[in-house]
Amino acid sequence: MKIALGDLVIPGRKETSLLIEDGVIVSFDVSGAVDRAYGLNGATVLPGAVDVHAHLREPGYEYKETILRATESAAKGGITRAFAMPNLIPVPDSVKNLKAETERTERDAKIAVYPFAALTKGERGEELSDIEELSRMTLCFSDDGVCVNDLKLLEEGMKRVKAVGGIIASHAERRGAKDTRRAEFEAVEEELELVKKTGVRYHFCHLSTKESFELLKKALAEGLDVTAEVTPHHLTLNSMMIRDGNWKMNPPLRSPEDVEATREALISGLVGIIATDHAPHSIEEKARPYESAPNGILGFETLFPVVYTSLTAGGKLSLEALSEAVTAAPAKRFGIDCGKIEIGRKAELIALNVTDYRAYTAEEIAGKAKNSPYIGKVMTGFNVFTLVGEKVLYRSSEIKEA
Ligand SMILES: [Zn+2]
């Protein structure tokens, strides 16, 4: 089947069309008959994003979200691959439990989903998972949502993950620290010591304090194999903006100074990856008073508009750098070969409308959950079209089939 895409912009190229044949990009010129054609209204075409931090909630928390609806929401947001965190029921801490997750993913997911296995049994931080056996199914390990505070256990986990050639994604948060800022950067400091000792590949989730970035900078100067991600919300929202449970997440929103440090870490290239920490919750849970509402907000559909509007539109972060941070860099770090628009490659494309500004609405959210602090926010850079192979995974009403 031949699919033609026209009236588009590809950063760094002068052509304005793409021809896809049997799911593969075959030409930047469209001539001759095609089976389907779409005009993209001048939208900017980029490779689909790779989100290395997502909570899909299934199995175990279907009342919050399902794999089907979450991945529909991802496709709408321009995310074509997502890494699923292991705070599920059952926790994927054994091959049997991980299979309970991957069987559902294979059945329901609209995009490619890669599972994180739990680093410790039940994410309890007491005993390591069967890392060697799990490594037949995934090389990515995390206890995200909680931090492994037992440093002896963590060191042992690092050694075993290194031995299987894996990577650990860490939610750094030390229990018992004086405040939530110290909880983050003290854990980062302790964990970096162990990374230095063991040589494991290590990735810090959602860093959000000035001190964390200073520690990361030092670690990179020492040559440690470490990366980090920042989230769209920590790049744009601060603690003074908190209104209700939909502004509650972990790490919590920080001071304007920390937000500035987070932006600077991304803009300078110190941190190369943006991940959403997409975390759906039910409407009832998020309607509770702030103190008792659960942590986490939606992120899939607002990744591009939030970052584009706050950084790219103002010229602080180029579109190329934005694309690198959401696609090429995370793909490379987590071992996936994707993220290029070139002849002979499978089509995995999204298209951003970077000219119109509009408000994000609760009604448009493709997922089941609605817990986003960005509802009502006027932004630009929304994804309008997602194509993987020959499948149109998302098409906004503004994109017409010719
Ligand atoms: Zn986390």
Side-chain angles (χ1 to χ4, degrees):
M1 179 167 64
K2 283 187 180 178
I3 301 172
L5 305 180
D7 193 11
L8 53 82
V9 175
I10 303 170
R13 300 196 69 99
K14 57 182 191 319
E15 297 93 339
T16 58
S17 57
L18 271 173
L19 182 63
I20 290 127
E21 195 170 347
D22 299 330
V24 175
I25 300 169
V26 292
S27 175
F28 289 98
D29 290 304
V30 176
S31 53
V34 296
D35 301 289
R36 280 190 286 158
Y38 299 94
L40 297 188
N41 302 341
T44 298
V45 170
L46 296 175
V50 177
D51 189 353
V52 295
H53 191 151
H55 299 273
L56 303 186
R57 303 300 192 209
E58 195 185 350
Y61 299 94
E62 291 81 357
Y63 75 94
K64 292 178 193 275
E65 189 55 284
T66 60
I67 289 169
L68 174 69
R69 296 286 297 276
T71 54
E72 282 174 352
S73 180
K76 174 173 179 285
I79 292 155
T80 51
R81 302 182 191 230
F83 284 71
M85 284 300 178
N87 48 347
L88 301 166
I89 307 172
V91 172
D93 54 7
S94 66
V95 164
K96 178 172 166 276
N97 288 348
L98 181 54
K99 275 188 176 153
E101 178 189 348
T102 56
E103 276 163 15
R104 295 219 200 178
T105 312
E106 279 157 28
R107 188 187 70 196
D108 291 344
K110 296 292 176 193
I111 64 164
V113 173
Y114 304 86
F116 274 101
L119 184 61
T120 73
K121 285 195 179 151
E123 282 201 311
R124 286 188 298 272
E126 293 163 359
E127 194 185 339
L128 293 171
S129 304
D130 193 344
I131 291 165
E132 293 71 24
E133 188 172 88
L134 283 161
S135 70
R136 290 193 278 118
M137 290 179 71
T138 179
L139 290 174
C140 305
F141 294 84
S142 182
D143 268 13
D144 183 69
V146 284
C147 179
V148 182
N149 271 227
D150 179 339
L151 296 179
K152 269 203 121 55
L153 187 77
L154 182 59
E155 184 179 344
E156 184 57 28
M158 287 181 178
K159 285 181 186 158
R160 285 171 58 184
V161 169
K162 182 179 164 66
V164 299
I167 184 168
I168 295 175
S170 163
H171 168 117
E173 182 185 15
R174 191 173 153 193
R175 275 184 288 277
K178 213 167 78 230
D179 59 58
T180 71
R181 296 187 73 261
R182 297 197 84 87
E184 178 180 308
F185 66 76
E186 288 183 2
V188 169
E189 186 162 31
E190 288 172 339
E191 291 174 23
L192 281 171
E193 280 306 312
L194 301 182
V195 173
K196 194 195 259 185
K197 228 165 129 180
T198 60
V200 71
R201 275 201 294 151
Y202 213 69
H203 176 77
F204 284 106
C205 300
H206 44 53
L207 289 188
S208 62
T209 73
K210 189 166 161 274
E211 290 86 347
S212 302
F213 298 118
E214 283 161 5
L215 288 162
L216 177 68
K217 194 170 188 177
K218 199 167 134 260
L220 288 171
E222 287 174 20
L224 302 194
D225 190 356
V226 58
T227 49
E229 76 202 20
V230 292
T231 68
H233 45 279
H234 291 121
L235 288 166
T236 51
L237 305 178
N238 66 54
S239 56
M240 269 118 74
M241 300 172 179
I242 294 171
R243 292 219 295 267
D244 56 37
N246 284 337
W247 272 256
K248 188 174 179 189
M249 70 286 289
N250 193 15
L253 293 177
R254 304 292 193 191
S255 69
E257 293 73 40
D258 279 329
V259 172
E260 203 41 54
T262 306
R263 291 162 77 96
E264 188 47 40
L266 176 71
I267 291 164
S268 68
L270 172 64
V271 167
I273 296 173
I274 304 172
T276 67
D277 195 3
H278 182 80
H281 289 290
S282 73
I283 289 162
E284 295 72 26
E285 287 170 314
K286 280 299 203 181
R288 290 179 200 155
Y290 182 82
E291 292 67 32
S292 52
N295 285 313
I297 61 164
L298 301 183
F300 283 160
E301 298 183 21
T302 47
L303 165 65
F304 280 104
V306 166
V307 181
Y308 192 93
T309 305
S310 64
L311 292 172
T312 305
K316 293 195 175 77
L317 186 75
S318 70
L319 187 61
E320 288 77 6
L322 165 57
S323 181
E324 176 81 19
V326 298
T327 303
K332 182 162 178 249
R333 183 58 170 165
F334 286 84
I336 315 174
D337 179 25
C338 70
K340 291 194 182 76
I341 298 176
E342 55 190 26
I343 307 291
R345 282 257 176 187
K346 184 183 168 189
E348 188 168 336
L349 309 168
I350 62 168
L352 308 185
N353 176 335
V354 298
T355 47
D356 301 334
Y357 279 76
R358 68 169 181 86
Y360 184 54
T361 68
E363 294 69 41
E364 73 179 272
I365 297 175
K368 203 166 137 177
K370 309 289 171 199
N371 52 308
S372 168
Y374 294 106
I375 290 168
K377 174 104 180 139
V378 174
M379 298 180 282
T380 187
F382 286 93
N383 177 50
V384 294
F385 188 78
T386 304
L387 179 82
V388 176
E390 10 184 75
K391 271 200 195 131
V392 177
L393 297 185
Y394 174 70
R395 172 161 70 102
S396 93
S397 57
E398 71 196 74
I399 303 300
K400 307 286 180 225
E401 188 167 351

